[in-house]
Amino acid sequence: MKSFSDSYKAAGVDVTAGYKAVELMKQHVARTKIPGAISSIGGFGGLFQPDLAGMEEPILVSGTDGVGTKLKIAFLMDKHDTIGIDCVAMCVNDIITVGAQPLFFLDYIALGKNIPEQVACIVSGIAEGCVQSGCALIGGETAEMPGFYPVGDYDVAGFSVGIVDRKKMIDGTRLQAGDAIIGIKSSGVHSNGFSLVRRIFDINEQNSKKYIAEFGKTLGEELLTPTKIYVKAMKSLTSKCDVKAVSHITGGGFYENIPRMMSAGLTAKINKTAVPVLPIFQVMQKEGNISEHDMFNTFNMGVGMCVVIPSEQVDQAVEAVRASGEGAVVLGEVVTGDEGVVLC
């Protein structure tokens, strides 16, 4: 007999909707299967058998994150197929900063009402993020929570686990003055700072669908642009260059994240004019009357990753990033000092 509960359904939880959601998402999960992924949907735990051949000291690296209030834009636009990419990106972009290769991802979706088609749409984005990252979606959880979330609203979070051989870890210990800093371009706001974004634009259903000439699309479409996933770019870089340190430019912008990759006594000197500031940031700064410091202390401003390499490898580093399909710019250099980062 198939599981169902009329009493639970009367309380707002329809377990049969959960079964339908699982059936709808199976095709998306199947896209992410890679060697090592040995579990299927429905088990209590996700299983993965890593290939440790050639590794002397394998180190597991993990990262977890959510999408934040960017979800509010997805609700207003009734567009749910890219938000999962953001969730995967925010996790894998953290773990690749130490040179790790993402292996697998698990998601957690909490919602007010399980609408199977909506859940499958969210998972399609998660699967796409996993495909872009070269990792497997090996499990997850969908929690129907009536009375806690309004019908139609949801939250998405997840975590990823990757692996790196200790001798290939990127830890910033070999940094020295004179090293070059390159930036890998972002796709937009990515998935942080949206509490400020929503205040600046006073986001509602009407203005989220307003066409903005500077963007060539509606405001909502621009803000829902998925976060860039930098796994391929980092693979290309580490295969061709001596990558010494990496910083994911996420919440806290330049001022919080760049110092995290610097060694004691060294500072990242960034040339502000080299930053490829995207139109969305120009519009936000003007509309919100936000100071330049606060913009660089909140947003990525057009740079999603900063990477330090020897100065003589600048040209090949930029070419390696471009060969992966991403854009790169030379941002500055490493200098002596204890500021962590200076923008000039």
Side-chain angles (χ1 to χ4, degrees):
M1 179 181 294
K2 194 159 187 176
S3 170
F4 69 90
S5 171
D6 290 334
S7 298
Y8 209 7
K9 185 174 182 180
V13 179
D14 184 358
V15 294
T16 59
Y19 304 144
K20 183 178 180 181
V22 169
E23 287 301 315
L24 291 175
M25 69 176 70
K26 280 183 176 179
Q27 60 178 314
H28 304 299
V29 176
R31 294 179 58 216
T32 75
K33 191 170 181 63
I34 62 173
I38 57 179
S39 59
S40 58
I41 290 182
F44 288 100
L47 307 177
F48 193 92
Q49 183 176 21
D51 181 4
L52 305 181
M55 288 195 176
E56 297 176 9
E57 294 183 84
I59 305 292
L60 294 179
V61 185
S62 58
T64 185
D65 210 337
V67 183
T69 62
K70 183 174 185 175
L71 291 171
K72 289 282 190 180
I73 316 298
F75 303 158
L76 290 172
M77 298 291 290
D78 192 24
K79 180 173 171 57
H80 313 285
D81 60 337
T82 60
I83 214 75
I85 300 175
D86 293 292
C87 189
V88 176
M90 298 304 285
C91 297
V92 299
N93 284 346
D94 278 351
I95 68 175
I96 62 176
T97 62
V98 296
Q101 166 61 42
L103 296 175
F104 58 82
F105 186 86
L106 283 86
D107 65 79
Y108 176 79
I109 304 172
L111 31 68
K113 181 177 176 59
N114 191 332
I115 305 170
E117 293 76 14
Q118 184 188 62
V119 173
C121 199
I122 298 168
V123 173
S124 74
I126 294 172
E128 174 59 27
C130 289
V131 170
Q132 291 183 26
S133 306
C135 69
L137 177 57
I138 64 170
E141 173 71 12
T142 302
E144 192 170 12
M145 303 168 66
F148 194 88
Y149 291 98
V151 173
D153 284 11
Y154 56 84
D155 195 10
V156 181
F159 76 92
S160 182
V161 173
I163 194 167
V164 62
D165 199 347
R166 182 184 289 273
K167 66 183 179 183
K168 295 183 178 180
M169 283 184 64
I170 301 169
D171 58 11
T173 56
R174 297 183 298 106
L175 287 175
Q176 60 185 29
D179 284 338
I181 304 171
I182 66 169
I184 309 179
K185 295 181 180 181
S186 74
S187 56
V189 184
H190 283 184
S191 297
N192 65 275
F194 270 83
S195 294
L196 178 55
V197 171
R198 291 185 299 110
R199 185 188 69 78
I200 290 172
F201 291 115
D202 190 22
I203 294 288
N204 55 45
E205 186 171 0
Q206 181 177 359
N207 63 22
S208 66
K209 298 176 181 177
K210 180 181 178 182
Y211 181 84
I212 307 294
E214 291 94 329
F215 309 149
K217 60 186 74 171
T218 67
L219 175 60
E221 288 171 336
E222 171 64 29
L223 295 177
L224 284 181
T225 301
T227 305
K228 282 280 187 182
I229 291 176
Y230 297 108
V231 174
K232 290 181 181 178
M234 284 302 302
K235 273 186 178 180
S236 183
L237 263 174
T238 54
S239 69
K240 298 174 182 177
C241 302
D242 179 16
V243 177
K244 295 185 175 184
V246 183
S247 176
H248 178 201
I249 309 303
T250 180
F254 281 57
Y255 285 106
E256 284 191 24
N257 292 294
I258 292 180
R260 296 167 68 180
M261 73 174 177
M262 304 305 298
S263 302
L266 294 175
T267 291
K269 183 179 180 182
I270 304 295
N271 178 5
K272 286 187 293 189
T273 62
V275 177
V277 180
L278 295 169
I280 180 62
F281 300 114
Q282 297 170 343
V283 171
M284 283 199 296
Q285 184 172 5
K286 181 180 178 181
E287 290 289 324
N289 192 28
I290 309 297
S291 70
E292 182 182 71
H293 176 277
D294 286 358
M295 291 295 295
F296 276 94
N297 209 147
T298 307
F299 303 110
N300 66 63
M301 302 301 287
V303 173
M305 281 276 188
C306 284
V307 181
V308 181
I309 41 92
S311 58
E312 64 271 17
Q313 294 185 3
V314 165
D315 289 343
Q316 66 193 78
V318 170
E319 178 53 37
V321 173
R322 290 175 179 168
S324 74
E326 304 298 341
V329 294
V330 181
L331 290 177
E333 63 177 334
V334 175
V335 298
T336 56
D338 294 314
E339 296 94 334
V341 62
V342 292
L343 275 67
C344 55

